[in-house]
Amino acid sequence: MNETVPEQRRPGKREDQVCLTLSAATQLHHIHGIHRLLTYRGGEAIYWQHCEGSPDLATKLRSLGVPSVVTALLELAAPGQERHSVFPSVVHVFVGKALGHEPADADVFYRSPVPPQRIESIVSPGDLAYDRFPDLPRG
């Protein structure tokens, strides 16, 4: 299976969604989950298939662009939109936080385009808001 080849994509897995985290906890506590996304440009479909077995391609993908963190203000339950997924649920995150469980975070699978006016910030290495997370890739 190769997500970069249309004939081999599995429907419903990655198409038409934007993957986000609910909070900055991922950048502090679970960096391993996003490290590759910020290291190899092209996303999971590219690095899963190519970076492990091709050091030259991995080096090329690391050289393209810069790692960036995008903050968006989104409504997860807005009427008329497709159903977004949050795991664990927002209720579980809030209850866990109230009970003192850390970190309070969830994966969000947003199934609509992100409107440009909902982008709050885009930060990269050298920006104070990016550099406050010391384990994020720098280039």
Side-chain angles (χ1 to χ4, degrees), residues 4-123:
T4 62
V5 178
E7 303 82 49
Q8 294 183 11
R9 289 186 195 140
R10 290 181 287 167
K13 293 296 178 186
R14 297 283 190 235
E15 284 186 284
D16 301 323
Q17 74 179 15
V18 178
C19 300
L20 309 133
T21 60
L22 196 58
S23 74
T26 299
Q27 289 96 313
L28 289 171
H29 303 286
H30 298 293
I31 187 62
H32 63 278
I34 63 170
H35 197 271
R36 282 182 164 187
L37 288 171
L38 293 170
T39 302
Y40 304 107
R41 301 332 156 238
E44 293 174 334
I46 300 296
Y47 69 67
W48 275 350
Q49 294 296 320
H50 306 291
C51 289
E52 295 296 322
S54 177
D56 291 339
L57 181 58
T59 299
K60 181 66 174 174
L61 291 173
R62 280 192 303 271
S63 73
L64 300 174
V66 296
S68 300
V69 174
V70 178
T71 302
L73 302 172
L74 303 172
E75 290 187 49
L76 298 177
Q81 290 184 338
E82 291 192 43
R83 182 86 170 119
H84 309 296
S85 302
V86 180
F87 182 80
S89 73
V90 174
V91 171
H92 284 97
V93 172
F94 288 155
V95 168
K97 183 68 174 175
L99 295 174
H101 297 290
E102 292 290 336
D105 193 24
D107 292 326
V108 177
F109 303 101
Y110 195 76
R111 300 198 182 276
S112 298
V114 176
Q117 66 272 20
R118 303 303 292 178
I119 301 294
E120 183 179 52
S121 67
I122 301 173
V123 297

